[in-house]
Amino acid sequence: MFTMGLTSFEQIAIWAVFAVAWLGLGYAVFLRSQILREDKGTEKMQEVWGAIKDGADAYLRKQLRSILPLIAILTVALFLSVYVVPPSPEAQRQFPTMSDEQLKLMIGIARSLAFVMGAGFSLTVGQLGMRMAVEGNVRVAAASRTSFGDALRIAYRAGTITGMLTDGLGLLGGTIIFIILGIAAPDALLGFGFGGTLLALFMRVGGGIFTKAADVGADLVGKVEAGIPEDDPRNPAVIADLVGDNVGDCAGMAADIFESYEVTIVSGLILGLALWHVTDRLEWIIFPLMVRGIGVLSSIFGTYFVKAGKTGKSEDAMKAIFSGFLTSAMISAVLFFIAGFVYLNTPEMNEWGGWWRMPTAVGVGVLLAILIDRLTEYFTGTHASPVNDIKKAADTGPATLILNGITVGFESSVWSVLVIALTIIASIFIFGSIPGVEGVDRATFILYGVAMTGIGMLTLTGNNVAMDSFGPIADNANGIGEMSWSGQTDKATKDAQQIMADLDAVGNTTKAITKGVAIGSAVIAAVSLFGSFLVDVSRAQASQGIPPEAQIQAIGIRVDVPQIFVGMLIGGALPWLFSSFAIQAVTRAASLIVLEVRRQFKLGVLEGKIKPDYKQAVNISTAAAQKELVSLALLGIVTPIVVGLTLQVEALGGFLAGIIVSGQLLAVFLNNSGGAWDNAKKLIEDEPRDPANNLGKGSERHKAGVVGDTVGDPFKDTAGPALNPMIKVVNLVAVIIAPIVVQYQSATGGALVVVWVIAIALIGLLAWAVMRSKAPAPSMTGDN
């Protein structure tokens, strides 16, 4: 174990954090046993559930086969990446008896193995979390026949399993790497974070395309054209829609939050290491790990405060879930300051501004999560004016409804950016006023504060992921109920259907809230990674003999330099191209599903002449998602490398600034406008059914709501969420590639030729990715 410079208290703290990681995983196993003991309902419910389970499992198996070749290539590339730059000073100090070649071999192996571990953990969180959500959905539907409280409890605790897996595996991986490598850990942690982020991008993109292609296709033909309910068993696309909720919202979101969890700790440790060089104190590195351990414990406690209210309505469910979140937040905030006072209140640390600064920055992160939670609920929740204004706009048709939703998305983006800006300003106040710290060191302290804010924001990852998984679990349970109870009109069935509808509405809001938290955490993580980028570039420049006053940390990213401005423009444009391709993929696949559902309707599915063939829609959505996986991932991986090699490292910094600003605004717009349209449609569906007076299901207002929801589906569940991992993939690739770019920035002769050959080859790869994403699906070209 790494023990260099650690006190006995710090060694105990590290092992305690390691134990807490296992405690989180043990709690997930405990909750799993609870969920599996619950009733699975009637034979018909289990039949529908079995079809959902088979479809989700089949999709994830195909997705894994599609991405394994790229994972293998990148594993080798990461191993080789350490051979083109000198070993880091930290690695040399941690392992003083090793030669440079031995260090390169060791770090190369560690980085590639960490990459595989990060990818494996991200995949595990997504796959196991999704499978437990599938196990939970039928049990929630069964419980709804007897109790609102039981249905809420099962849905939330099934989601908490995914949250605890995210917490436990994320904390376990980072702690193991730190225990083995000590101050050399960031070299491997970059690989760990990149593996988790890349898998999240795959699962977000693939799951998002699958779920929204099925959802849009099912809604357009079933609800708009045929006028049948959303989860009518006669709709051939309904199973694909329910499968999509799991592979998109459960597997995709779990992997997304997991990689945010990892990226914030990676950037925090890199910046903490920079402060260690300035202050010769390890507290900057140890305290973030302690914070993560506190977060796991707080999330476990908060689970037991999620209980149904007296009336058993949707507002009670939302209050109960938020109550659990606030309880965890308060417990963690108190423990942060206790830990800070016990561990950081020493004469040595007080020389660097006082013990309170780190706990305060983490507390600001928790507050940021709460503010984004409340802000997102305001713009997407059913009880606030934005969604109700969209509902009113349905009176004048789909055009005005869509316009109203767009304005909601635009406005919400501005407020979200302001909240994040205030958070960064808070870090300036906390860490920018340390006596005697000026210039480059002051900027490093402030960026470290931003990283600690991100760590604090994701302290309650267990709660956040539980809230998100609650959404698709409730949605699936509602669908299972609709398909199983079709035609039943007794009071017990109606009561159960109302419970499911209420929980489904809450689930829409919790999904939107956690997407908001994921977007906010992506931006905070990206800003702190930007700080890590500056630190690593300056170190690489120092190794090349560039004096401190000429290094990037001293001169900054100057946007008045045309070359850097070009990089910023390209970075700002990338999220828009990425989103365009993702939505195009949904549009193409949804068109194929529309044609397939119409074909089956013409054969007499609605009249009961033949049974619906659910597998066709599942196959169409699966094929569409697999087609886009690698090409969209390459946009995030290859573009920063091309910018760095062709425009140099300063332009790469401008590129990162552009993608952070543009990606944040676009992601929030897509997420919140889509969520608002969805809940506006649900408000119309909750009205008394009276098409003659333009009220409720079947009315023109309802059709307008469905159109708005259909437009918003790929916004909120495909393009918007996929921007989170894409932004972080770009930033991590930039941090990994930056020292190499510096090394060969002044290359001449044969080395320069090699650099440009590589750049041209990568540009060709980008062109292939663009053409592949724009190509129509095979069956639309007449090839099949």
Side-chain angles (χ1 to χ4, degrees):
M1 172 186 169
F2 161 63
T3 58
M4 190 184 71
L6 290 182
T7 65
S8 57
F9 177 84
E10 287 171 335
Q11 293 185 44
I12 292 170
I14 295 289
W15 284 112
V17 169
F18 184 71
V20 167
W22 285 106
L23 177 64
L25 294 175
Y27 186 58
V29 173
F30 169 72
L31 289 178
R32 177 182 180 273
S33 65
Q34 279 192 342
I35 298 300
L36 293 181
R37 287 198 298 267
E38 301 289 345
D39 177 33
K40 290 194 290 186
T42 65
E43 185 176 339
K44 178 62 177 175
M45 293 167 69
Q46 293 183 47
E47 180 185 338
V48 175
W49 168 68
I52 297 170
K53 186 176 181 180
D54 291 344
D57 288 347
Y59 169 77
L60 287 178
R61 284 195 298 270
K62 290 182 179 179
Q63 178 178 260
L64 183 60
R65 288 197 295 270
S66 297
I67 63 180
L68 279 178
L70 184 59
I71 296 295
I73 292 170
L74 289 173
T75 301
V76 175
L78 283 169
F79 173 76
L80 296 175
S81 67
V82 303
Y83 277 88
V84 293
V85 293
S88 68
E90 292 79 25
Q92 291 173 331
R93 182 167 174 178
Q94 179 67 47
F95 304 101
T97 60
M98 288 188 178
S99 66
D100 281 1
E101 288 305 312
Q102 289 174 325
L103 280 175
K104 287 180 179 180
L105 176 63
M106 185 198 70
I107 296 299
I109 293 173
R111 180 177 285 187
S112 54
L113 288 178
F115 171 74
V116 172
M117 183 168 67
F121 280 8
S122 186
L123 184 69
T124 300
V125 167
Q127 293 230 5
L128 291 184
M130 185 214 73
R131 283 175 168 79
M132 282 315 304
V134 173
E135 293 289 344
N137 57 26
V138 69
R139 291 166 169 84
V140 172
S144 70
R145 297 174 301 171
T146 57
S147 168
F148 179 91
D150 285 345
L152 171 63
R153 174 182 56 81
I154 294 170
Y156 189 81
R157 292 194 180 179
T160 303
I161 295 172
T162 312
M164 286 297 106
L165 286 172
T166 306
D167 265 343
L169 289 176
L171 190 59
L172 184 67
T175 308
I176 287 174
I177 291 172
F178 183 75
I179 287 173
I180 295 173
L181 296 178
I183 57 174
D187 287 325
L189 282 171
L190 282 174
F192 185 61
F194 184 43
T197 302
L198 187 63
L199 258 292
L201 180 61
F202 282 132
M203 299 185 85
R204 262 307 190 193
V205 169
I209 293 171
F210 184 107
T211 181
K212 291 304 111 178
D215 197 356
V216 170
D219 282 356
L220 285 177
V221 185
K223 295 169 73 172
V224 176
E225 294 182 8
I228 59 177
E230 180 170 356
D231 294 313
D232 193 300
R234 295 172 293 174
N235 190 329
V238 69
I239 291 295
D241 186 9
L242 294 172
V243 169
D245 290 333
N246 293 291
V247 299
D249 281 322
C250 289
M253 184 57 152
D256 186 0
I257 294 283
F258 174 83
E259 51 90 14
S260 289
Y261 190 85
E262 284 318 308
V263 166
T264 51
I265 198 70
V266 168
S267 57
L269 291 180
I270 290 175
L271 290 164
L273 202 57
L275 294 185
W276 172 66
H277 284 289
V278 175
T279 66
D280 199 31
R281 302 302 305 172
L282 285 168
E283 285 87 345
W284 310 106
I285 301 171
I286 304 297
F287 190 69
L289 295 173
M290 295 172 64
V291 166
R292 280 288 157 84
I294 289 170
V296 174
L297 295 175
S298 301
S299 291
I300 292 173
F301 285 123
T303 304
Y304 291 94
F305 287 85
V306 180
K307 298 177 182 178
K310 295 179 181 179
T311 62
K313 296 294 183 181
S314 59
E315 54 266 32
D316 280 332
M318 194 66 241
K319 287 177 183 176
I321 291 171
F322 189 58
S323 173
F325 184 82
L326 280 180
T327 300
S328 294
M330 288 187 289
I331 292 171
S332 61
V334 170
L335 292 177
F336 294 154
F337 280 92
I338 292 174
F341 181 78
V342 171
Y343 175 49
L344 303 174
N345 189 20
T346 62
E348 294 81 5
M349 285 302 292
N350 285 329
E351 287 180 11
W352 298 101
W355 66 271
W356 58 272
R357 295 182 191 268
M358 274 194 272
T360 302
V362 177
V364 168
V366 175
L367 181 61
L368 173 61
I370 294 172
L371 287 176
I372 290 180
D373 179 303
R374 297 296 85 197
L375 193 63
T376 308
E377 186 183 6
Y378 171 74
F379 281 106
T380 63
T382 55
H383 303 292
S385 59
V387 169
N388 282 278
D389 288 344
I390 295 173
K391 174 191 169 186
K392 291 176 185 175
D395 295 342
T396 49
T400 52
L401 181 140
I402 289 173
L403 288 172
N404 204 307
I406 288 173
T407 63
V408 167
F410 283 154
E411 182 184 352
S412 65
S413 294
V414 174
W415 290 109
S416 294
V417 164
L418 289 177
V419 168
I420 290 174
L422 288 173
T423 304
I424 296 173
I425 290 172
S427 179
I428 295 173
F429 278 108
I430 295 168
F431 283 97
S433 59
I434 298 176
V437 176
E438 298 293 340
V440 172
D441 291 342
R442 180 175 181 270
T444 304
F445 271 99
I446 291 170
L447 287 169
Y448 177 80
V450 174
M452 291 301 292
T453 300
I455 290 171
M457 187 180 183
L458 289 172
T459 294
L460 305 179
T461 289
N463 302 76
N464 287 326
V465 176
M467 288 168 66
D468 181 76
S469 297
F470 175 89
I473 290 169
D475 194 345
N476 263 212
N478 193 22
I480 290 171
E482 288 287 341
M483 294 184 71
S484 304
W485 306 327
S486 180
Q488 298 180 26
T489 58
D490 58 283
K491 184 177 183 303
T493 299
K494 288 183 177 180
D495 289 344
Q497 288 174 327
Q498 186 58 53
I499 288 173
M500 287 291 88
D502 287 340
L503 291 180
D504 191 10
V506 172
N508 278 334
T509 303
T510 59
K511 284 191 293 184
I513 287 170
T514 47
K515 287 187 180 81
V517 171
I519 293 166
S521 69
V523 174
I524 292 294
V527 172
S528 51
L529 275 175
F530 185 70
S532 303
F533 169 81
L534 297 177
V535 168
D536 279 5
V537 170
S538 290
R539 287 182 184 172
Q541 289 173 331
S543 71
Q544 295 296 302
I546 298 174
E549 62 274 10
Q551 293 171 13
I552 198 169
Q553 278 188 292
I555 62 176
I557 304 294
R558 293 186 53 182
V559 295
D560 61 328
V561 177
Q563 192 169 320
I564 296 174
F565 193 74
V566 168
M568 189 169 66
L569 290 175
I570 296 171
L574 185 60
W576 299 81
L577 183 66
F578 182 89
S579 299
S580 169
F581 290 164
I583 294 174
Q584 281 180 39
V586 172
T587 304
R588 289 193 295 265
S591 299
L592 294 177
I593 289 179
V594 165
L595 296 176
E596 174 61 24
V597 175
R598 285 175 179 169
R599 182 187 71 81
Q600 293 196 37
F601 279 0
K602 287 178 182 178
L603 295 175
V605 167
L606 290 176
E607 295 79 19
K609 295 178 182 178
I610 62 169
K611 290 185 177 181
D613 183 357
Y614 299 127
K615 289 185 178 179
Q616 284 300 318
V618 172
N619 291 338
I620 290 169
S621 288
T622 299
Q626 304 311 308
K627 173 180 172 291
E628 304 292 338
L629 281 177
V630 173
S631 55
L632 281 171
L634 286 175
L635 285 179
I637 296 170
V638 176
T639 307
I641 301 176
V642 170
V643 170
L645 292 178
T646 57
L647 298 177
Q648 300 185 349
V649 77
E650 292 82 5
L652 182 56
F655 174 84
L656 296 181
I659 198 172
I660 290 169
V661 174
S662 174
Q664 151 74 14
L665 289 166
L666 182 58
V668 174
F669 163 72
L670 293 170
N671 177 55
N672 288 354
S673 57
W677 277 319
D678 192 350
N679 270 342
K681 176 207 67 175
K682 289 198 176 298
L683 284 178
I684 296 171
E685 290 177 341
D686 287 341
E687 297 171 345
R689 187 183 181 98
D690 187 4
N693 290 310
N694 203 20
L695 293 173
K697 292 182 179 180
S699 65
E700 291 302 314
R701 293 172 65 254
H702 181 229
K703 290 180 180 179
V706 172
V707 171
D709 178 39
T710 302
V711 172
D713 273 340
F715 278 30
K716 69 182 175 64
D717 289 325
T718 307
L723 284 174
N724 307 331
M726 192 274 282
I727 291 170
K728 284 171 284 190
V729 162
V730 167
N731 276 269
L732 279 167
V733 170
V735 174
I736 292 170
I737 198 70
I740 301 173
V741 172
V742 172
Q743 181 90 359
Y744 293 96
Q745 192 156 291
S746 56
T748 59
L752 182 62
V753 171
V754 171
V755 168
W756 275 101
V757 167
I758 292 172
I760 292 169
L762 291 175
I763 290 171
L765 189 60
L766 273 178
W768 171 84
V770 169
M771 288 187 291
R772 180 171 173 81
S773 285
K774 293 182 72 68
S779 57
M780 294 179 70
T781 64
D783 295 337
N784 284 353

